[in-house]
Amino acid sequence: LVYSAVSCKNIEGRDFSIMEYVKNIVSPYSVCKNLTQEEHIKIIMKAALGLRMIADIGAVHRDIKPDNVFVIRGDSKHVEPEVKIADFGLLDLTERRNMQSDSITAQDVRPGTPRFASPEHYDFGCKLDIRADIYSLGLTAYYWITGEHVNSGEDNAEVLENLKKRTAKPKRIIEVSNQVRYRGTPVYHFRERGTLAFRYQELEKVIAKMIHRDRDSRYKDPHEVVHDLDNVLVGKRAEIADVDIYEVFR
């Protein structure tokens, strides 16, 4: 669930890690756009389990995005894809949240990737905690399912400007995704019918709570995310996802 370091070394004052070798890494969206509903939920839950491991050691990843959540294809079509969270270059184990990085060169921002960052990521008066990672994982899940970005813009500057405004709302998942269909018809036409429609409604609620702009309205930790996804997987309600869908989606 988390990309492992085989060993850590220091040569001539430079620290580096030797990471485990992982084969069959594939583009997450190329995999996810062809998954079944159940497989979608499992992939997101595996990523949340990896995030739970990070949270359990008191860390904040600070750069959760599709490129850093590896989806690893099984050796055969009968083996489920695995998920590993990688790239811990911005991992924060301390209370110091303002470390700079080459990922962003602007003077007034924190390191990370704007398209998958939380609104508070660029508020220097706010200490980042695991809820920022939960937000980023929610954006990643939204992208996996729909192929679209919540934090929109032509370039990083425009994405940052839109993010700081905190006003833009993404489309509802069940209305934008070509994959969310039942016998060729979009699922939202079947809101009151069967497990398929019910699961996607509940999954949408989970993602809505993950990407709520008010972090106090998000899940407080990945344990809660995993709990709700586990419920959704077996056809139950997401008990903790109490957010109003229309506070998040348009």
Side-chain angles (χ1 to χ4, degrees):
L1 298 173
V2 174
Y3 204 48
S4 302
V6 177
S7 65
C8 298
K9 296 180 181 292
N10 181 293
I11 296 180
E12 297 180 352
R14 292 178 177 269
D15 295 320
F16 66 91
S17 300
I18 300 173
M19 308 302 291
E20 65 173 308
Y21 173 71
V22 178
K23 63 179 182 178
N24 296 336
I25 296 174
V26 293
S27 166
Y29 181 60
S30 70
V31 172
C32 290
K33 69 180 181 180
N34 295 315
L35 295 180
T36 66
Q37 183 193 76
E38 182 175 325
E39 289 168 335
H40 263 140
I41 298 169
K42 286 182 178 179
I43 287 286
I44 298 167
M45 185 159 68
K46 287 176 181 179
L49 285 166
L51 195 59
R52 187 174 72 180
M53 294 175 67
I54 294 170
D56 284 348
I57 64 169
V60 183
H61 187 285
R62 303 197 301 173
D63 200 18
I64 295 292
K65 58 183 178 181
D67 287 347
N68 289 341
V69 183
F70 292 165
V71 177
I72 304 158
R73 188 182 63 247
D75 290 328
S76 77
K77 64 180 180 180
H78 303 295
V79 179
E80 290 185 356
E82 288 300 319
V83 176
K84 283 183 179 284
I85 295 177
D87 194 349
F88 296 94
L90 301 182
L91 186 76
D92 193 353
L93 284 162
T94 72
E95 290 299 314
R96 187 170 64 89
R97 307 297 190 188
N98 295 332
M99 181 179 65
Q100 292 300 309
S101 164
D102 290 339
S103 334
I104 297 293
T105 57
Q107 295 291 318
D108 61 341
V109 297
R110 286 170 166 150
T113 305
R115 206 172 288 281
F116 292 94
S118 65
E120 68 270 18
H121 199 97
Y122 301 107
D123 178 356
F124 283 96
C126 178
K127 290 184 178 180
L128 296 185
D129 59 30
I130 197 63
R131 291 172 295 179
D133 283 347
I134 289 173
Y135 185 95
S136 297
L137 182 57
L139 299 190
T140 298
Y142 186 94
Y143 174 74
W144 280 345
I145 295 172
T146 68
E148 295 192 4
H149 296 290
V150 173
N151 291 347
S152 59
E154 292 297 321
D155 52 31
N156 278 346
E158 187 176 342
V159 172
L160 282 170
E161 185 63 29
N162 291 337
L163 188 60
K164 289 175 181 178
K165 289 178 181 175
R166 302 190 180 208
T167 55
K169 291 184 178 181
K171 298 175 185 176
R172 291 191 63 183
I173 293 172
I174 55 177
E175 296 180 2
V176 74
S177 174
N178 289 328
Q179 299 301 311
V180 188
R181 291 177 175 269
Y182 176 75
R183 295 180 181 175
T185 303
V187 155
Y188 59 87
H189 290 170
F190 293 88
R191 287 179 179 167
E192 305 303 324
R193 297 189 188 181
T195 302
L196 184 71
F198 176 78
R199 273 179 174 170
Y200 264 118
Q201 288 177 69
E202 295 303 297
L203 177 59
E204 188 177 54
K205 284 167 56 180
V206 171
I207 293 176
K209 190 167 180 68
M210 293 174 76
I211 66 173
H212 201 290
R213 290 184 174 274
D214 176 6
R215 68 176 182 173
D216 290 332
S217 296
R218 289 178 215 148
Y219 292 103
K220 71 176 185 290
D221 58 50
H223 291 261
E224 293 188 342
V225 181
V226 172
H227 173 83
D228 268 359
L229 287 172
D230 195 40
N231 274 0
V232 174
L233 188 61
V234 297
K236 295 181 180 178
R237 291 194 177 279
E239 298 175 328
I240 306 172
D242 53 356
V243 66
D244 179 353
I245 286 287
Y246 294 103
E247 288 182 5
V248 178
F249 299 116
R250 64 177 188 266

